[in-house]
Every structure is written in C-alpha cells, then in structure tokens.
Amino acid sequence: MTHFTIRRLAFAFALALSVPSVLHPAVAAEVTRVYPALDESGSKRTLKIYSSLDADIAEPLLQAFREARPGIAIDYWELQTQEIYARVLEETDRGEETADIAFSSAMDLQVKLANDGYAQPLELASAGAMPSWSKWRDTVFGVTFEPAVIIYNKTAFDGRQPPRTRADLAEYLKANEAELYGRVGTYDVERAGLGLFFLARDSEHNRKIWSLFNALGAAGVKLYSNSSAIVERVADGRFALGYNILGSYAAGWARNAPDLGIVLPEDYTVVMTRTGLVPRNAASPDLGAAFLDFLLSIGGQRLIAAQTGLPALHPAVEGENTASHMHGTYGARLRPVPVGPALVVYLDQVKRQRLLDRWNDALRVQ
C-alpha cells in the first residue's frame, strides 16, 4: 500500500509579478503528497513536482515511475497554474532551489517562464517522436492532446440535433432565447485562465466569433471560474449547454453521466496540451528530466490514455483516448495550439484588457 501524507493549507499571494496581478489568486489551496522510496537501502533522493493535475489522477503515473526508479521518493505538490508560475519565478529570483519539474495546463504561463529564462534546455530521448508544434526550444514539452468542446444535455435536445458549429450555436441561442435564458454556461474569462486562453484562440480563428458572444449574452449566459460547475449543471439538466469546456474533463464526467453529450465543433476545434518543463533552479534537474521523459515515452503515454482519462499526444500510441484516434476521426477541424512565444501575447496587460473589454461589451446585451 502507498503511504503518503497530505497537507492542506491556504496562503495569500500579494507579490508583484511580471504578468498582470489579476492572473494570480489572492488565496490558493495546496495539496502535497509525499511518496517514500520503494527501496530505501541506497542513497536517498527526492523528485519534487509542481503540478496542476489532480493528485488522484496523477497517482498511476507516480506509481509507475516509482516502480521504475525504486530508490526515488516523490514530493507531489498539487497547485493552481498561476501558483506554479509564481513559485518557480519567486524561488528562482531569491536564489533558492525550486521544483524539479513544473507540469501545468497553462501553456502560456509555462512558455513565459521559458521565454524569460526560468527553464533549462533538455535532451529527452522520447521528445523526438512528438509533434513539432508541441515543444519549444527544448525547454517546454507538450504531453497531452485536449480539445475544447461544446457540451449539452441530451434530454434538453430530445429529438433535435445539438449545434455542431459556432454559427449553428449562435443561431440556436437566438432562436430559443426564452427557453435557454440562464441555462447556458461558459468560463468567466476574467477569473479563469483557461477561459481567457480559449477566448484568445477563438478571436484568432474566427472573425465572426463576437456574434456568438452577443448571443450568449442575450441568452443570460452564466459564468464560472472552473469546469466542474458548468459540467455538473449540464449533466443534471439545470443547463442545456456549455461552451468552450475542456473535453478531457467533460469526457470524465460523461462516463458516469449518460445525459451529458459532447460535440467537437465542426468549424474548428481548439486543442491544448499540458506542458512540462524543468526549472533553471531545480534541485535535481536530472530527476525532473527523467520524469518528463517518462511522460513523453510510449509507455508513459499509454498509461496516460488508459488510466488518467487524459488523451495521449504521442502519434504512435493508438486507442480511443489518443491524438492519433482524434486525428483519424476529426481530421483538419482539430487546431492544436503551438507551444511557443505567440502564447504570451495576451499576458501583456494592455492586450489582455482590450480582449476583456471586447468580451464584456459582447455580453453586455443581456
């Protein structure tokens, strides 16, 4: 049996960072799990991980790595994405050692760390097989393949097809405004970093996207800072629709919620990847690199697809929960977001505020 300790605590962030302060929570919860080495007969070393992935979901990966490296203990810190960014930045600036690997769903913040010199270049044996768009300067590496989707309640659409494009969704909202009022959800882009990330991608891919946001506003869209509140309400019928929801999360719910339907938009489907990097001031960079290499390996990717519910990125890994399967099924509609400096554009405070102002103007019609 695995023995671990869990420490939960809250603390305030009031430090000035190089990205807009609104990106950083005033109070954040943290969970730490400590896994001892399976073989403590040799020299004791510890792999320290900062990760936004739920510790319970990550556990099969941690256990597999421990079995492969029985002399290594693991200190797993489950943190918010903004907190991962802030800790690596601040600890490095103070000249302190930091995590050996940062694993986060915030592609933009990870790239900013690397772009600003807070990540070290790596030579990973498994990285060569990964798509070119999923890595940048041998510092930031994509691990998963996760689409943004439309979710719907099947009962609410009994006898009708759900919208399959953004234009269809806008028209459906307009035609059924009274029926749908207050029963549609999406991210609050001012509080949810992932929501802002998807909004920025929409504005890049679709010049007519604002007509959809006008329709969402007229339908009394409800805004939330996380996926769970939206998915839960669509699954139980309180909401009819949810827009720009992380598909891997929705798919996890759908396994136990038969009324929850998922649509990958046919006009285009934005795909994000969770990324890993080894910070410049990592205490044991070789361990961080080894764990990241394991995540990118065929064995690690198969484990990700089979046991975490996250879609695997490796092109040679097959099965329903993989990038290769999605490419074969959905083809050119998939639009993976490249890992690179273009991601940090909307971390600029002026550009970010312009996008938010336009978003708020679009929703104000409600």
Side-chain angles (χ1 to χ4, degrees):
M1 173 178 283
T2 300
H3 299 283
F4 55 81
T5 62
I6 302 179
R7 303 191 298 273
R8 298 178 184 270
L9 54 102
F11 63 95
F13 263 155
L15 298 173
L17 302 177
S18 60
V19 297
S21 60
V22 73
L23 288 176
H24 304 279
V27 178
E30 110 187 0
V31 177
T32 307
R33 294 190 179 184
V34 179
Y35 297 82
L38 296 176
D39 180 3
E40 297 184 332
S41 60
S43 59
K44 296 181 180 179
R45 300 190 68 197
T46 300
L47 166 65
K48 186 174 184 179
I49 302 171
Y50 289 169
S51 174
S52 63
L53 183 61
D54 184 284
D56 289 332
I57 296 175
E59 188 152 337
L61 303 173
L62 304 178
Q63 297 290 21
F65 187 76
R66 292 172 74 218
E67 290 169 6
R69 305 284 293 267
I72 305 300
I74 298 177
D75 198 354
Y76 188 89
W77 296 65
E78 180 190 325
L79 305 168
Q80 299 295 321
T81 57
Q82 298 93 341
E83 193 176 354
I84 293 171
Y85 172 88
R87 281 176 178 261
V88 172
L89 187 80
E90 294 155 10
E91 290 166 353
T92 303
D93 285 348
R94 290 196 298 262
E96 301 172 359
E97 293 180 339
T98 187
D100 302 314
I101 179 173
F103 185 55
S104 172
S105 58
M107 296 173 66
D108 47 1
L109 295 180
Q110 293 278 85
V111 169
K112 183 165 178 59
L113 282 174
N115 193 54
D116 292 347
Y118 290 87
Q120 52 183 283
L122 305 172
E123 293 184 7
L124 302 179
S126 300
M130 289 299 192
S132 59
W133 63 264
S134 70
K135 50 198 174 183
W136 185 63
R137 289 187 176 176
D138 295 326
T139 55
V140 186
F141 299 84
V143 174
T144 62
F145 192 82
E146 302 179 57
V149 302
I150 299 169
I151 59 174
Y152 66 98
N153 181 273
K154 294 178 181 178
T155 301
F157 283 85
D158 188 24
R160 296 180 292 184
Q161 285 293 315
R164 298 197 172 275
T165 68
R166 288 163 181 81
D168 289 345
L169 177 57
E171 289 303 314
Y172 183 81
L173 292 170
K174 294 173 186 176
N176 299 275
E177 187 176 301
E179 176 188 346
L180 294 173
Y181 195 85
R183 298 185 62 221
V184 182
T186 192
Y187 292 114
D188 181 342
V189 301
E190 294 192 85
R191 294 190 296 151
L194 187 59
L196 181 64
F197 178 85
F198 286 147
L199 171 62
R201 308 291 81 77
D202 271 340
S203 68
E204 293 167 354
H205 286 299
N206 188 350
R207 293 182 179 179
K208 298 180 179 179
I209 193 64
W210 300 103
S211 63
L212 170 57
F213 298 147
N214 286 145
L216 286 168
V221 65
K222 302 296 184 182
L223 306 178
Y224 295 89
S225 60
N226 58 71
S227 302
S228 60
I230 304 168
V231 177
E232 179 182 356
R233 285 164 172 78
V234 174
D236 66 19
R238 281 176 287 172
F239 285 3
L241 287 161
Y243 177 67
N244 258 359
I245 308 304
L246 192 60
S248 55
Y249 193 87
W253 271 76
R255 283 191 283 272
N256 298 305
D259 286 335
L260 182 64
I262 299 172
V263 172
L264 275 68
E266 293 178 1
D267 45 350
Y268 64 90
T269 297
V270 174
V271 180
M272 60 144 298
T273 180
R274 294 172 195 261
T275 59
L277 61 81
V278 173
R280 189 179 77 214
N281 275 29
S284 301
D286 60 319
L287 296 184
F291 185 70
L292 183 51
D293 197 47
F294 161 70
L295 294 180
L296 298 175
S297 70
I298 288 183
Q301 290 279 296
R302 284 175 177 160
L303 196 61
I304 286 171
Q307 296 196 35
T308 71
L310 302 177
L313 174 62
H314 200 297
V317 175
E318 298 179 347
E320 186 173 349
N321 199 29
T322 66
S324 58
H325 174 79
M326 280 189 261
H327 278 301
T329 303
Y330 303 110
R333 84 172 70 163
L334 299 174
R335 306 284 177 85
V337 180
V339 179
L343 285 170
V344 306
V345 169
Y346 291 102
L347 295 181
D348 174 84
Q349 192 164 4
V350 173
K351 291 183 174 64
R352 179 180 181 277
Q353 193 57 51
R354 286 175 182 165
L355 187 63
L356 291 177
D357 288 345
R358 190 165 186 186
W359 160 263
N360 286 320
D361 286 344
L363 295 193
R364 199 164 285 136
V365 294
Q366 70 178 311

PDB file of all heavy atoms in Angstrom, residues 226-260:
ATOM      1  N   ASN A 226     -14.469  27.606 -13.071  1.00  0.00           N
ATOM      2  CA  ASN A 226     -13.941  26.252 -13.255  1.00  0.00           C
ATOM      3  C   ASN A 226     -14.917  25.416 -14.070  1.00  0.00           C
ATOM      4  O   ASN A 226     -16.084  25.780 -14.251  1.00  0.00           O
ATOM      5  CB  ASN A 226     -13.659  25.589 -11.902  1.00  0.00           C
ATOM      6  CG  ASN A 226     -14.909  25.519 -11.038  1.00  0.00           C
ATOM      7  OD1 ASN A 226     -15.822  24.755 -11.316  1.00  0.00           O
ATOM      8  ND2 ASN A 226     -14.965  26.336  -9.991  1.00  0.00           N
ATOM      9  N   SER A 227     -14.423  24.292 -14.553  1.00  0.00           N
ATOM     10  CA  SER A 227     -15.224  23.414 -15.410  1.00  0.00           C
ATOM     11  C   SER A 227     -16.323  22.691 -14.648  1.00  0.00           C
ATOM     12  O   SER A 227     -17.420  22.472 -15.181  1.00  0.00           O
ATOM     13  CB  SER A 227     -14.324  22.374 -16.083  1.00  0.00           C
ATOM     14  OG  SER A 227     -13.316  22.961 -16.844  1.00  0.00           O
ATOM     15  N   SER A 228     -16.040  22.282 -13.427  1.00  0.00           N
ATOM     16  CA  SER A 228     -16.935  21.368 -12.722  1.00  0.00           C
ATOM     17  C   SER A 228     -18.332  21.937 -12.548  1.00  0.00           C
ATOM     18  O   SER A 228     -19.332  21.221 -12.703  1.00  0.00           O
ATOM     19  CB  SER A 228     -16.344  20.987 -11.363  1.00  0.00           C
ATOM     20  OG  SER A 228     -16.155  22.129 -10.548  1.00  0.00           O
ATOM     21  N   ALA A 229     -18.433  23.235 -12.221  1.00  0.00           N
ATOM     22  CA  ALA A 229     -19.747  23.837 -12.003  1.00  0.00           C
ATOM     23  C   ALA A 229     -20.591  23.796 -13.280  1.00  0.00           C
ATOM     24  O   ALA A 229     -21.807  23.553 -13.234  1.00  0.00           O
ATOM     25  CB  ALA A 229     -19.594  25.273 -11.518  1.00  0.00           C
ATOM     26  N   ILE A 230     -19.955  24.016 -14.422  1.00  0.00           N
ATOM     27  CA  ILE A 230     -20.675  24.014 -15.697  1.00  0.00           C
ATOM     28  C   ILE A 230     -21.068  22.592 -16.087  1.00  0.00           C
ATOM     29  O   ILE A 230     -22.223  22.307 -16.421  1.00  0.00           O
ATOM     30  CB  ILE A 230     -19.821  24.653 -16.802  1.00  0.00           C
ATOM     31  CG1 ILE A 230     -19.390  26.064 -16.400  1.00  0.00           C
ATOM     32  CG2 ILE A 230     -20.591  24.687 -18.126  1.00  0.00           C
ATOM     33  CD1 ILE A 230     -18.318  26.655 -17.294  1.00  0.00           C
ATOM     34  N   VAL A 231     -20.095  21.680 -16.039  1.00  0.00           N
ATOM     35  CA  VAL A 231     -20.358  20.303 -16.466  1.00  0.00           C
ATOM     36  C   VAL A 231     -21.435  19.662 -15.588  1.00  0.00           C
ATOM     37  O   VAL A 231     -22.331  18.973 -16.089  1.00  0.00           O
ATOM     38  CB  VAL A 231     -19.057  19.476 -16.433  1.00  0.00           C
ATOM     39  CG1 VAL A 231     -19.342  18.027 -16.805  1.00  0.00           C
ATOM     40  CG2 VAL A 231     -18.023  20.059 -17.376  1.00  0.00           C
ATOM     41  N   GLU A 232     -21.368  19.891 -14.294  1.00  0.00           N
ATOM     42  CA  GLU A 232     -22.359  19.321 -13.390  1.00  0.00           C
ATOM     43  C   GLU A 232     -23.765  19.807 -13.734  1.00  0.00           C
ATOM     44  O   GLU A 232     -24.724  19.015 -13.755  1.00  0.00           O
ATOM     45  CB  GLU A 232     -22.016  19.708 -11.953  1.00  0.00           C
ATOM     46  CG  GLU A 232     -23.006  19.182 -10.920  1.00  0.00           C
ATOM     47  CD  GLU A 232     -22.665  19.611  -9.508  1.00  0.00           C
ATOM     48  OE1 GLU A 232     -21.611  20.266  -9.314  1.00  0.00           O
ATOM     49  OE2 GLU A 232     -23.453  19.298  -8.593  1.00  0.00           O
ATOM     50  N   ARG A 233     -23.908  21.089 -14.027  1.00  0.00           N
ATOM     51  CA  ARG A 233     -25.228  21.655 -14.325  1.00  0.00           C
ATOM     52  C   ARG A 233     -25.765  21.188 -15.678  1.00  0.00           C
ATOM     53  O   ARG A 233     -26.974  21.020 -15.835  1.00  0.00           O
ATOM     54  CB  ARG A 233     -25.156  23.186 -14.257  1.00  0.00           C
ATOM     55  CG  ARG A 233     -25.101  23.711 -12.822  1.00  0.00           C
ATOM     56  CD  ARG A 233     -24.644  25.157 -12.755  1.00  0.00           C
ATOM     57  NE  ARG A 233     -24.782  25.702 -11.403  1.00  0.00           N
ATOM     58  CZ  ARG A 233     -23.927  25.443 -10.410  1.00  0.00           C
ATOM     59  NH1 ARG A 233     -22.872  24.658 -10.638  1.00  0.00           N
ATOM     60  NH2 ARG A 233     -24.115  25.959  -9.213  1.00  0.00           N
ATOM     61  N   VAL A 234     -24.883  20.991 -16.639  1.00  0.00           N
ATOM     62  CA  VAL A 234     -25.342  20.452 -17.921  1.00  0.00           C
ATOM     63  C   VAL A 234     -25.712  18.980 -17.759  1.00  0.00           C
ATOM     64  O   VAL A 234     -26.726  18.518 -18.292  1.00  0.00           O
ATOM     65  CB  VAL A 234     -24.268  20.626 -19.011  1.00  0.00           C
ATOM     66  CG1 VAL A 234     -24.685  19.928 -20.306  1.00  0.00           C
ATOM     67  CG2 VAL A 234     -24.014  22.111 -19.278  1.00  0.00           C
ATOM     68  N   ALA A 235     -24.923  18.244 -17.008  1.00  0.00           N
ATOM     69  CA  ALA A 235     -25.176  16.812 -16.836  1.00  0.00           C
ATOM     70  C   ALA A 235     -26.506  16.546 -16.147  1.00  0.00           C
ATOM     71  O   ALA A 235     -27.218  15.590 -16.502  1.00  0.00           O
ATOM     72  CB  ALA A 235     -24.039  16.173 -16.049  1.00  0.00           C
ATOM     73  N   ASP A 236     -26.880  17.382 -15.149  1.00  0.00           N
ATOM     74  CA  ASP A 236     -28.121  17.111 -14.413  1.00  0.00           C
ATOM     75  C   ASP A 236     -29.332  17.847 -14.984  1.00  0.00           C
ATOM     76  O   ASP A 236     -30.439  17.741 -14.465  1.00  0.00           O
ATOM     77  CB  ASP A 236     -27.961  17.413 -12.926  1.00  0.00           C
ATOM     78  CG  ASP A 236     -27.741  18.893 -12.605  1.00  0.00           C
ATOM     79  OD1 ASP A 236     -28.055  19.749 -13.447  1.00  0.00           O
ATOM     80  OD2 ASP A 236     -27.262  19.188 -11.488  1.00  0.00           O
ATOM     81  N   GLY A 237     -29.140  18.625 -16.078  1.00  0.00           N
ATOM     82  CA  GLY A 237     -30.262  19.241 -16.758  1.00  0.00           C
ATOM     83  C   GLY A 237     -30.584  20.663 -16.341  1.00  0.00           C
ATOM     84  O   GLY A 237     -31.467  21.296 -16.943  1.00  0.00           O
ATOM     85  N   ARG A 238     -29.900  21.189 -15.347  1.00  0.00           N
ATOM     86  CA  ARG A 238     -30.144  22.587 -14.995  1.00  0.00           C
ATOM     87  C   ARG A 238     -29.736  23.505 -16.148  1.00  0.00           C
ATOM     88  O   ARG A 238     -30.372  24.529 -16.392  1.00  0.00           O
ATOM     89  CB  ARG A 238     -29.376  22.958 -13.723  1.00  0.00           C
ATOM     90  CG  ARG A 238     -30.038  22.498 -12.436  1.00  0.00           C
ATOM     91  CD  ARG A 238     -29.182  22.821 -11.234  1.00  0.00           C
ATOM     92  NE  ARG A 238     -28.005  21.947 -11.134  1.00  0.00           N
ATOM     93  CZ  ARG A 238     -27.016  22.127 -10.266  1.00  0.00           C
ATOM     94  NH1 ARG A 238     -27.022  23.189  -9.465  1.00  0.00           N
ATOM     95  NH2 ARG A 238     -26.007  21.267 -10.220  1.00  0.00           N
ATOM     96  N   PHE A 239     -28.658  23.152 -16.839  1.00  0.00           N
ATOM     97  CA  PHE A 239     -28.226  23.878 -18.036  1.00  0.00           C
ATOM     98  C   PHE A 239     -28.471  22.991 -19.251  1.00  0.00           C
ATOM     99  O   PHE A 239     -28.420  21.760 -19.165  1.00  0.00           O
ATOM    100  CB  PHE A 239     -26.737  24.218 -17.968  1.00  0.00           C
ATOM    101  CG  PHE A 239     -26.379  25.352 -17.038  1.00  0.00           C
ATOM    102  CD1 PHE A 239     -27.337  25.979 -16.253  1.00  0.00           C
ATOM    103  CD2 PHE A 239     -25.067  25.788 -16.955  1.00  0.00           C
ATOM    104  CE1 PHE A 239     -26.998  27.017 -15.388  1.00  0.00           C
ATOM    105  CE2 PHE A 239     -24.715  26.822 -16.106  1.00  0.00           C
ATOM    106  CZ  PHE A 239     -25.680  27.441 -15.313  1.00  0.00           C
ATOM    107  N   ALA A 240     -28.711  23.650 -20.388  1.00  0.00           N
ATOM    108  CA  ALA A 240     -28.840  22.916 -21.645  1.00  0.00           C
ATOM    109  C   ALA A 240     -27.521  22.793 -22.369  1.00  0.00           C
ATOM    110  O   ALA A 240     -27.269  21.796 -23.052  1.00  0.00           O
ATOM    111  CB  ALA A 240     -29.864  23.611 -22.554  1.00  0.00           C
ATOM    112  N   LEU A 241     -26.645  23.811 -22.209  1.00  0.00           N
ATOM    113  CA  LEU A 241     -25.413  23.883 -22.993  1.00  0.00           C
ATOM    114  C   LEU A 241     -24.264  24.448 -22.175  1.00  0.00           C
ATOM    115  O   LEU A 241     -24.454  25.246 -21.257  1.00  0.00           O
ATOM    116  CB  LEU A 241     -25.615  24.797 -24.212  1.00  0.00           C
ATOM    117  CG  LEU A 241     -26.463  24.294 -25.376  1.00  0.00           C
ATOM    118  CD1 LEU A 241     -26.926  25.473 -26.216  1.00  0.00           C
ATOM    119  CD2 LEU A 241     -25.651  23.311 -26.227  1.00  0.00           C
ATOM    120  N   GLY A 242     -23.051  24.067 -22.564  1.00  0.00           N
ATOM    121  CA  GLY A 242     -21.827  24.689 -22.063  1.00  0.00           C
ATOM    122  C   GLY A 242     -20.882  24.897 -23.230  1.00  0.00           C
ATOM    123  O   GLY A 242     -20.789  24.033 -24.119  1.00  0.00           O
ATOM    124  N   TYR A 243     -20.193  26.035 -23.255  1.00  0.00           N
ATOM    125  CA  TYR A 243     -19.317  26.356 -24.389  1.00  0.00           C
ATOM    126  C   TYR A 243     -17.857  26.454 -23.961  1.00  0.00           C
ATOM    127  O   TYR A 243     -17.542  26.997 -22.907  1.00  0.00           O
ATOM    128  CB  TYR A 243     -19.753  27.675 -25.038  1.00  0.00           C
ATOM    129  CG  TYR A 243     -18.836  28.097 -26.172  1.00  0.00           C
ATOM    130  CD1 TYR A 243     -18.783  27.353 -27.350  1.00  0.00           C
ATOM    131  CD2 TYR A 243     -17.983  29.192 -26.046  1.00  0.00           C
ATOM    132  CE1 TYR A 243     -17.917  27.691 -28.379  1.00  0.00           C
ATOM    133  CE2 TYR A 243     -17.131  29.557 -27.077  1.00  0.00           C
ATOM    134  CZ  TYR A 243     -17.095  28.801 -28.241  1.00  0.00           C
ATOM    135  OH  TYR A 243     -16.223  29.137 -29.258  1.00  0.00           O
ATOM    136  N   ASN A 244     -16.974  25.942 -24.825  1.00  0.00           N
ATOM    137  CA  ASN A 244     -15.516  26.000 -24.621  1.00  0.00           C
ATOM    138  C   ASN A 244     -15.077  25.281 -23.358  1.00  0.00           C
ATOM    139  O   ASN A 244     -14.217  25.762 -22.610  1.00  0.00           O
ATOM    140  CB  ASN A 244     -15.019  27.453 -24.604  1.00  0.00           C
ATOM    141  CG  ASN A 244     -14.358  27.845 -25.915  1.00  0.00           C
ATOM    142  OD1 ASN A 244     -14.246  27.027 -26.831  1.00  0.00           O
ATOM    143  ND2 ASN A 244     -13.922  29.092 -26.014  1.00  0.00           N
ATOM    144  N   ILE A 245     -15.627  24.106 -23.138  1.00  0.00           N
ATOM    145  CA  ILE A 245     -15.302  23.314 -21.959  1.00  0.00           C
ATOM    146  C   ILE A 245     -14.167  22.343 -22.297  1.00  0.00           C
ATOM    147  O   ILE A 245     -14.125  21.786 -23.398  1.00  0.00           O
ATOM    148  CB  ILE A 245     -16.535  22.539 -21.467  1.00  0.00           C
ATOM    149  CG1 ILE A 245     -17.729  23.490 -21.301  1.00  0.00           C
ATOM    150  CG2 ILE A 245     -16.229  21.803 -20.172  1.00  0.00           C
ATOM    151  CD1 ILE A 245     -17.487  24.660 -20.389  1.00  0.00           C
ATOM    152  N   LEU A 246     -13.254  22.141 -21.374  1.00  0.00           N
ATOM    153  CA  LEU A 246     -12.140  21.232 -21.619  1.00  0.00           C
ATOM    154  C   LEU A 246     -12.663  19.815 -21.811  1.00  0.00           C
ATOM    155  O   LEU A 246     -13.303  19.240 -20.930  1.00  0.00           O
ATOM    156  CB  LEU A 246     -11.161  21.290 -20.444  1.00  0.00           C
ATOM    157  CG  LEU A 246      -9.809  20.622 -20.652  1.00  0.00           C
ATOM    158  CD1 LEU A 246      -9.061  21.254 -21.818  1.00  0.00           C
ATOM    159  CD2 LEU A 246      -8.972  20.723 -19.379  1.00  0.00           C
ATOM    160  N   GLY A 247     -12.403  19.259 -22.996  1.00  0.00           N
ATOM    161  CA  GLY A 247     -13.002  17.996 -23.386  1.00  0.00           C
ATOM    162  C   GLY A 247     -12.609  16.822 -22.511  1.00  0.00           C
ATOM    163  O   GLY A 247     -13.428  15.938 -22.250  1.00  0.00           O
ATOM    164  N   SER A 248     -11.371  16.776 -22.055  1.00  0.00           N
ATOM    165  CA  SER A 248     -10.941  15.659 -21.218  1.00  0.00           C
ATOM    166  C   SER A 248     -11.722  15.630 -19.917  1.00  0.00           C
ATOM    167  O   SER A 248     -12.075  14.564 -19.403  1.00  0.00           O
ATOM    168  CB  SER A 248      -9.441  15.764 -20.934  1.00  0.00           C
ATOM    169  OG  SER A 248      -9.116  17.020 -20.357  1.00  0.00           O
ATOM    170  N   TYR A 249     -12.028  16.804 -19.381  1.00  0.00           N
ATOM    171  CA  TYR A 249     -12.795  16.888 -18.137  1.00  0.00           C
ATOM    172  C   TYR A 249     -14.235  16.449 -18.383  1.00  0.00           C
ATOM    173  O   TYR A 249     -14.810  15.687 -17.606  1.00  0.00           O
ATOM    174  CB  TYR A 249     -12.748  18.315 -17.598  1.00  0.00           C
ATOM    175  CG  TYR A 249     -13.226  18.444 -16.178  1.00  0.00           C
ATOM    176  CD1 TYR A 249     -12.347  18.267 -15.107  1.00  0.00           C
ATOM    177  CD2 TYR A 249     -14.552  18.726 -15.897  1.00  0.00           C
ATOM    178  CE1 TYR A 249     -12.788  18.367 -13.808  1.00  0.00           C
ATOM    179  CE2 TYR A 249     -15.004  18.825 -14.593  1.00  0.00           C
ATOM    180  CZ  TYR A 249     -14.118  18.648 -13.552  1.00  0.00           C
ATOM    181  OH  TYR A 249     -14.563  18.738 -12.256  1.00  0.00           O
ATOM    182  N   ALA A 250     -14.818  16.942 -19.473  1.00  0.00           N
ATOM    183  CA  ALA A 250     -16.188  16.565 -19.806  1.00  0.00           C
ATOM    184  C   ALA A 250     -16.310  15.064 -20.055  1.00  0.00           C
ATOM    185  O   ALA A 250     -17.292  14.430 -19.645  1.00  0.00           O
ATOM    186  CB  ALA A 250     -16.659  17.347 -21.027  1.00  0.00           C
ATOM    187  N   ALA A 251     -15.314  14.494 -20.730  1.00  0.00           N
ATOM    188  CA  ALA A 251     -15.351  13.060 -21.029  1.00  0.00           C
ATOM    189  C   ALA A 251     -15.317  12.233 -19.747  1.00  0.00           C
ATOM    190  O   ALA A 251     -15.971  11.181 -19.650  1.00  0.00           O
ATOM    191  CB  ALA A 251     -14.187  12.682 -21.938  1.00  0.00           C
ATOM    192  N   GLY A 252     -14.554  12.706 -18.763  1.00  0.00           N
ATOM    193  CA  GLY A 252     -14.511  12.014 -17.479  1.00  0.00           C
ATOM    194  C   GLY A 252     -15.878  11.985 -16.814  1.00  0.00           C
ATOM    195  O   GLY A 252     -16.311  10.958 -16.273  1.00  0.00           O
ATOM    196  N   TRP A 253     -16.591  13.106 -16.854  1.00  0.00           N
ATOM    197  CA  TRP A 253     -17.944  13.170 -16.297  1.00  0.00           C
ATOM    198  C   TRP A 253     -18.902  12.283 -17.091  1.00  0.00           C
ATOM    199  O   TRP A 253     -19.770  11.620 -16.513  1.00  0.00           O
ATOM    200  CB  TRP A 253     -18.451  14.611 -16.335  1.00  0.00           C
ATOM    201  CG  TRP A 253     -18.108  15.406 -15.111  1.00  0.00           C
ATOM    202  CD1 TRP A 253     -16.897  15.937 -14.792  1.00  0.00           C
ATOM    203  CD2 TRP A 253     -18.993  15.760 -14.037  1.00  0.00           C
ATOM    204  NE1 TRP A 253     -16.971  16.614 -13.604  1.00  0.00           N
ATOM    205  CE2 TRP A 253     -18.238  16.520 -13.120  1.00  0.00           C
ATOM    206  CE3 TRP A 253     -20.341  15.529 -13.790  1.00  0.00           C
ATOM    207  CZ2 TRP A 253     -18.803  17.042 -11.953  1.00  0.00           C
ATOM    208  CZ3 TRP A 253     -20.895  16.040 -12.630  1.00  0.00           C
ATOM    209  CH2 TRP A 253     -20.138  16.787 -11.722  1.00  0.00           C
ATOM    210  N   ALA A 254     -18.771  12.301 -18.415  1.00  0.00           N
ATOM    211  CA  ALA A 254     -19.722  11.602 -19.272  1.00  0.00           C
ATOM    212  C   ALA A 254     -19.731  10.096 -19.022  1.00  0.00           C
ATOM    213  O   ALA A 254     -20.745   9.426 -19.278  1.00  0.00           O
ATOM    214  CB  ALA A 254     -19.412  11.887 -20.743  1.00  0.00           C
ATOM    215  N   ARG A 255     -18.625   9.557 -18.518  1.00  0.00           N
ATOM    216  CA  ARG A 255     -18.577   8.120 -18.248  1.00  0.00           C
ATOM    217  C   ARG A 255     -19.609   7.721 -17.192  1.00  0.00           C
ATOM    218  O   ARG A 255     -20.051   6.568 -17.150  1.00  0.00           O
ATOM    219  CB  ARG A 255     -17.167   7.711 -17.817  1.00  0.00           C
ATOM    220  CG  ARG A 255     -16.186   7.617 -18.974  1.00  0.00           C
ATOM    221  CD  ARG A 255     -14.881   6.966 -18.548  1.00  0.00           C
ATOM    222  NE  ARG A 255     -14.043   7.882 -17.801  1.00  0.00           N
ATOM    223  CZ  ARG A 255     -13.164   8.718 -18.355  1.00  0.00           C
ATOM    224  NH1 ARG A 255     -13.036   8.746 -19.676  1.00  0.00           N
ATOM    225  NH2 ARG A 255     -12.430   9.508 -17.615  1.00  0.00           N
ATOM    226  N   ASN A 256     -19.967   8.650 -16.305  1.00  0.00           N
ATOM    227  CA  ASN A 256     -20.946   8.358 -15.256  1.00  0.00           C
ATOM    228  C   ASN A 256     -22.192   9.232 -15.351  1.00  0.00           C
ATOM    229  O   ASN A 256     -23.006   9.257 -14.424  1.00  0.00           O
ATOM    230  CB  ASN A 256     -20.299   8.552 -13.877  1.00  0.00           C
ATOM    231  CG  ASN A 256     -19.136   7.610 -13.647  1.00  0.00           C
ATOM    232  OD1 ASN A 256     -19.282   6.396 -13.773  1.00  0.00           O
ATOM    233  ND2 ASN A 256     -17.973   8.159 -13.339  1.00  0.00           N
ATOM    234  N   ALA A 257     -22.326   9.983 -16.452  1.00  0.00           N
ATOM    235  CA  ALA A 257     -23.471  10.878 -16.635  1.00  0.00           C
ATOM    236  C   ALA A 257     -24.018  10.659 -18.038  1.00  0.00           C
ATOM    237  O   ALA A 257     -23.619  11.340 -18.986  1.00  0.00           O
ATOM    238  CB  ALA A 257     -23.048  12.330 -16.419  1.00  0.00           C
ATOM    239  N   PRO A 258     -24.947   9.720 -18.209  1.00  0.00           N
ATOM    240  CA  PRO A 258     -25.412   9.342 -19.549  1.00  0.00           C
ATOM    241  C   PRO A 258     -26.124  10.462 -20.304  1.00  0.00           C
ATOM    242  O   PRO A 258     -26.224  10.392 -21.531  1.00  0.00           O
ATOM    243  CB  PRO A 258     -26.367   8.171 -19.277  1.00  0.00           C
ATOM    244  CG  PRO A 258     -26.754   8.309 -17.832  1.00  0.00           C
ATOM    245  CD  PRO A 258     -25.574   8.906 -17.147  1.00  0.00           C
ATOM    246  N   ASP A 259     -26.593  11.501 -19.612  1.00  0.00           N
ATOM    247  CA  ASP A 259     -27.296  12.590 -20.289  1.00  0.00           C
ATOM    248  C   ASP A 259     -26.349  13.686 -20.772  1.00  0.00           C
ATOM    249  O   ASP A 259     -26.796  14.679 -21.364  1.00  0.00           O
ATOM    250  CB  ASP A 259     -28.347  13.215 -19.368  1.00  0.00           C
ATOM    251  CG  ASP A 259     -29.574  12.327 -19.203  1.00  0.00           C
ATOM    252  OD1 ASP A 259     -29.832  11.510 -20.113  1.00  0.00           O
ATOM    253  OD2 ASP A 259     -30.270  12.445 -18.181  1.00  0.00           O
ATOM    254  N   LEU A 260     -25.059  13.526 -20.520  1.00  0.00           N
ATOM    255  CA  LEU A 260     -24.092  14.538 -20.938  1.00  0.00           C
ATOM    256  C   LEU A 260     -23.549  14.210 -22.323  1.00  0.00           C
ATOM    257  O   LEU A 260     -22.933  13.165 -22.537  1.00  0.00           O
ATOM    258  CB  LEU A 260     -22.935  14.616 -19.936  1.00  0.00           C
ATOM    259  CG  LEU A 260     -21.860  15.667 -20.224  1.00  0.00           C
ATOM    260  CD1 LEU A 260     -22.432  17.079 -20.160  1.00  0.00           C
ATOM    261  CD2 LEU A 260     -20.694  15.532 -19.241  1.00  0.00           C
TER     262      LEU A 260
END
